[in-house]
Each structure stands twice: as C-alpha cells, then as structure tokens.
Amino acid sequence: MDKVVALAKRRGFIYPSSEIYGGIAGFWDYGPLGTELKRNIKNEWWKSMVQLRDDVVGLDASVIMNPEVWKASGHLEAFTDPLIECKVCHKRFRADKKEEVKEHEKEHAGKKTEWTEAKHFNLLTEVYLGVTEPKLKTYLRGEITQGVFVNFKNVVDSTRVKIPFGIAQVGKAFRNEITPGNFTYRSREFEQMELEFFIKPDETEGQKWFDYWKEQRMQWYTGLGMKKANLRFRDHHDDERAHYARSATDIEFHAPIGWSEFEGIHHRGEWDLSRHKLTYKDEDNTEYTPWVIETSGGVDRSTLFFLLNAYHEDDKRLILKLHPKLAPYKAAVFPLLANKEEMVDVARKIYDNVRGEIMVAWDDRGNIGKRYAAQDEIGTPYCITVDYQSLEDGTVTLRDRDSAEQKRIPKDTVLSLIKDQLL
Ligand code: ATP
C-alpha cells in the first residue's frame, strides 16, 4: 500500500486534499493521471451498464435533496455507525469492523484492552440553506441511490422503460465517517457507480436477478484485468445487513489491508419505493411496488484496487499493468532525438493524428530508456518511437509495456493498432 500511495503522489494520481494547509482527514484530490484513470473506470462502467443494454437508462440527480427524502428512506434513523474508543490509548474504532478491533487488541497484548460503550453516530453530513433564520437544514447525500428512487415515477412517465429495467447513476456521496483512513479507502467524500434494477415482487425473480447481477459485476472487474485470485464474494451476516437489505453480498478485493469491500450487491426488496409511496402499473393495469436489486460500487475504492492490482515491481522495472482501457495514456510518442528536427516533425505528426481519438503522451526529454521507464510506471501500454530508420522507410518502433518487446510497424497503422486494443 505504501508504495502505491507514494507512486500515486509522485506521478500525479492522487494527492491529499488541501495539502498546503495540512490536509483534511477523509478528503483526496485526483491529479492529472488519477483523473484520467477514474474517468476511464466510470466510462467503462457506463458503457457496460447503460450504453450496451436495452433495459437500463441513466440519471444524474442532485446532491442535495429535500430533507424529507432522508426521513422516508430511513437514513435519519438508521444510517449510523457504532464508535468505540480504546480506554488505554484512546484510539477510535468502528465496533462493527471486528477484524480491526481484534487487530488492535493484539497490539495491546499482555494488557487487557478495555473499550468504551458503543455510541451511534449518524453519517449524514448536515448542510444549512438560505440566508435568513430559520435556515433549511438538509444533508449532502449519503448514498446516490435515493436520487434514483425519488425519480422513479419521472423516469417511468417520461421514457419507454418497462419492468424489469434499471436506472444507473454515477456521482458523489458524502459520509461523516468516524474513522476515515487507509488512503482513499474510507473517505468522507467519494464517488459511487450504482444500478437500481426494478423487478416484479416475486421470490424467484428476486433470486434470479440477484444472482445475475452478482455475476455481471464480477465479470466486469475481471474483464478489466482484476486477477481472479484477488476477488471474492462475501455474503453479509444477518446482523450486518443495512436497514434496507433483504440479502446482500460484497465483492471484496485482497488488499494489503485485508479482504476489503468495494462493491455491494443488495436485494433491497420493496423497502425504498414503499417508503416513498411509489408504485408501478403493468400493461394490464395491475399495480404493485417493484422490488429492487442494487449494484453499488465505489469509484474511489475501485480506482485504488485497480492500482494495487496493477502494481508490479521486479529487480528491473516498476510497471503499472493497467488494462489498456483504463490506462491514463493509451500510448506515448517519442522522437528518438529532440534536436533532430526531421524526427521531431514526424513524431509530432503522429502525435497530432492520434490525440484526436485517444489520450496520448509526448516526451522528448532524456534517454529513451528513462522515457520507457516513466511510461511503464504510469501504465502506458505502448510507446512509439520515431528514429533514423523512420525517416528512411516510414516505420516506427512500437514497444509493448508488459513484455518490453519492440517491433517495427508502418507509422500509418499506429492508431488502428492501438484502437484494436481498446475495443
Ligand atoms: P463500509 O462497511 O466499508 O463502510 P458500506 O457497506 O457502508 O461500506 P455501502 O453503503 O454498501 O458501503 O456503499 C457502497 C459502496 O460505496 C461501497 O462498496 C464502497 O465502494 C463505496 N463506499 C462506501 N463508503 C465509502 C467511503 N467512506 N469511502 C469510499 N468509498 C465508500
């Protein structure tokens, strides 16, 4: 983890928020490369969940909503975490994170660790609107989900969706976490990518779609290069399920901090729509409250886990083996020598031709080995070098990140070759 945190800072993936003022716990800024990586993850998610499907539409709801939403959804009452404090060293922990609590007890081996009683804290972040008293007290959304439910009727009335169908959304959520930490893993501001899939209220349907979405989501991660050995499902026990969930499973990643959740698949039953008093009418005019299967992924946790999954170091090289679809730059273009005008011209033409379609880096500094190394550690799958031979026969070298092998290809085929890897 420390190595990835250091790389993220050094190469401009992720910085502590407001760092020049000492930072602020639980907030992070994405640098130039982190912004690309995170955007690529969100775009791939959108493509697979909305663009390629007939049964899912998108939504972009507001972060702040009428506070009644949070009353109805049960969050004002039940969106809490239990805080306990170690009486020996006054460190604070979440009582429901049993592994971390056990770990801490081990640190005090010999002495018996005493804990304070668990106090429950609501995770919603309060905001006050208006300029005159009394101001309207409301909340930054603690999950993006509710924006979908309160728009259920709007979407049904304004589009041609029919059950079963889904509404997908990507956006920021805020939680006043009591123990932010582990880099971006537990932040107070983070992004979620979620699908709410509406189905008939029927046990068999519920099980079918729950299993279906579990598989879809797992395949999406492995399809983008997550190693199967790094992933597993973990079903929630009865005592840990959220207030809305009938059944729930997490997709966990084998992180240096232990197996860690980064996506939840939840069977929310009729909880939300019934709380918002929303129903659906079938073609034959039968009215019912649909059930909901939800897939709720964290963009920041995925970004972190894609980075950890891709990190590779041996005695020769440090490589981020990111899937080409996720890599911030798909290729880098180099003139072998920066002071050879002809070489720079040819390279610049290739660069200008390619950059209209894919993110591509330009580098003409230092020796070529260092340039390759710099691209390896940010995950650029291909490097294209214009050299002396290029000026004679119109070919360039194409170097592969993972194998470090080079081959010569005609310069006009560069773009199509790289684009093939992105399909
Ligand atoms: P945890 O038990 O770790 O607090 P959770 O079970 O409360 O997480 P959900 O409410 O299911 O999480 O949220 C869905 C997803 O949103 C999580 O799988 C995670 O990827 C992301 N997420 C939730 N809380 C945070 C956070 N504080 N920081 C970053 N991502 C988060």
Side-chain angles (χ1 to χ4, degrees):
M1 184 73 126
D2 290 347
K3 287 182 173 176
V4 166
V5 175
L7 177 74
K9 173 85 196 295
R10 183 163 53 82
R11 296 306 312 270
F13 282 92
I14 303 169
Y15 317 119
S17 164
S18 22
E19 193 181 11
I20 59 167
Y21 290 101
I24 173 167
F27 295 89
W28 299 91
D29 295 340
Y30 287 79
L33 296 185
T35 306
E36 296 299 330
L37 172 60
K38 194 158 92 140
R39 201 214 324 257
N40 292 340
I41 293 172
K42 290 187 282 185
N43 286 349
E44 284 303 318
W45 186 88
W46 197 263
K47 190 171 175 192
S48 100
M49 300 299 267
V50 182
Q51 191 179 328
L52 294 175
R53 297 193 66 101
D54 290 332
D55 55 357
V56 178
V57 292
L59 186 84
D60 187 3
S62 65
V63 166
I64 295 175
M65 293 185 275
N66 187 312
E68 290 300 318
V69 172
W70 301 105
K71 206 194 273 178
S73 70
H75 282 78
L76 281 186
E77 205 181 309
F79 196 48
T80 60
D81 277 339
L83 175 74
I84 52 173
E85 195 174 303
C86 169
K87 286 189 181 168
V88 181
C89 65
H90 303 289
K91 266 197 187 160
R92 291 170 167 192
F93 291 85
R94 264 174 61 178
D96 57 328
K97 296 285 165 198
K98 301 211 169 69
E99 289 294 313
E100 287 165 33
V101 169
K102 253 195 251 155
E103 233 1 79
H104 186 68
E105 285 173 350
K106 270 193 226 150
E107 282 169 27
H108 288 311
K111 269 183 258 161
K112 195 173 145 13
T113 322
E114 274 192 63
W115 297 102
T116 57
E117 283 288 308
K119 270 195 217 153
H120 284 261
F121 284 92
N122 196 291
L123 299 176
L124 290 177
T125 316
E126 295 170 5
V127 284
Y128 295 85
L129 301 177
V131 286
T132 52
E133 299 294 345
K135 292 184 181 166
L136 175 68
K137 177 180 166 185
T138 182
Y139 309 90
L140 298 178
R141 60 185 176 189
E143 58 172 28
I144 62 171
T145 328
Q146 294 305 321
V148 169
F149 296 131
V150 298
N151 278 293
F152 175 76
K153 191 172 176 319
N154 282 336
V155 173
V156 169
D157 291 348
S158 59
T159 70
R160 297 191 312 183
V161 292
K162 295 235 161 13
I163 275 180
F165 75 92
I167 303 180
Q169 184 175 210
V170 178
K172 293 260 186 175
F174 301 81
R175 293 184 188 177
N176 196 1
E177 294 279 358
I178 51 188
T179 55
N182 285 327
F183 197 28
T184 55
Y185 183 77
R186 189 167 304 287
S187 306
R188 288 174 163 150
E189 172 176 342
F190 54 94
E191 243 174 317
Q192 294 184 306
M193 40 191 187
E194 290 194 342
L195 170 76
E196 308 304 323
F197 198 76
F198 302 95
I199 58 169
K200 282 197 172 132
D202 175 274
E203 294 294 345
T204 320
E205 282 284 289
Q207 194 59 48
K208 182 181 97 183
W209 285 109
F210 187 73
D211 293 343
Y212 171 82
W213 283 112
K214 262 175 75 172
E215 282 317 309
Q216 288 290 311
R217 297 305 304 139
M218 189 59 112
Q219 275 172 25
W220 187 78
Y221 287 111
T222 54
L224 287 173
M226 281 228 185
K227 297 174 195 123
K228 285 203 174 103
N230 279 342
L231 295 173
R232 72 173 188 194
F233 287 116
R234 193 184 66 81
D235 292 337
H236 282 204
H237 308 299
D238 289 346
D239 61 351
E240 65 173 320
R241 269 201 298 275
H243 61 275
Y244 51 74
R246 289 165 69 106
S247 49
T249 195
D250 289 338
I251 302 181
E252 293 188 333
F253 180 81
H254 196 193
I257 50 170
W259 283 98
S260 311
E261 167 197 347
F262 65 117
E263 171 143 352
I265 291 95
H266 307 127
H267 185 335
R268 296 179 78 119
E270 63 165 26
W271 170 267
D272 303 274
L273 290 186
S274 71
R275 295 283 292 211
H276 296 303
K277 298 188 173 57
L278 293 164
T279 55
Y280 175 82
K281 256 193 203 149
D282 248 346
E283 279 142 342
D284 58 11
N285 247 2
T286 324
E287 192 169 357
Y288 59 85
T289 308
W291 284 2
V292 175
I293 306 297
E294 166 185 77
T295 70
S296 173
V299 181
D300 309 80
R301 288 187 186 177
S302 311
T303 304
L304 174 59
F305 291 164
F306 274 119
L307 282 172
L308 285 164
N309 182 77
Y311 190 90
H312 172 93
E313 199 180 2
D314 57 32
D315 43 358
K316 290 202 201 84
R317 297 198 290 155
L318 195 175
I319 318 173
L320 265 193
K321 293 189 175 181
L322 289 169
H323 191 289
K325 287 180 179 170
L326 301 185
Y329 294 117
K330 312 307 176 193
V333 179
F334 312 145
L336 181 64
L337 300 169
N339 56 5
K340 266 262 165 211
E341 207 176 307
E342 268 178 290
M343 250 180 226
V344 175
D345 282 352
V346 173
R348 195 75 206 179
K349 276 205 188 94
I350 296 174
Y351 177 66
D352 285 339
N353 175 34
V354 173
R355 72 193 304 195
E357 302 209 30
I358 54 175
M359 276 300 285
V360 58
W362 170 266
D363 193 0
D364 58 9
R365 296 157 310 162
N367 75 45
I368 200 82
K370 283 203 178 126
R371 288 187 240 167
Y372 285 151
Q375 295 300 325
D376 284 345
E377 65 173 24
I378 60 170
T380 310
Y382 299 105
C383 292
I384 295 138
T385 306
V386 174
D387 56 13
Y388 284 107
Q389 194 178 327
S390 312
L391 304 180
E392 283 161 25
D393 65 6
T395 63
V396 293
T397 66
L398 181 84
R399 175 194 178 265
D400 178 86
R401 175 192 70 198
D402 297 349
S403 66
E405 274 168 18
Q406 293 183 35
K407 58 181 179 189
R408 293 207 77 88
I409 58 162
K411 64 177 195 272
D412 302 337
T413 61
V414 166
L415 183 59
S416 61
L417 218 139
I418 296 167
K419 275 171 74 181
D420 282 350
Q421 304 302 310
L422 302 173
L423 290 177

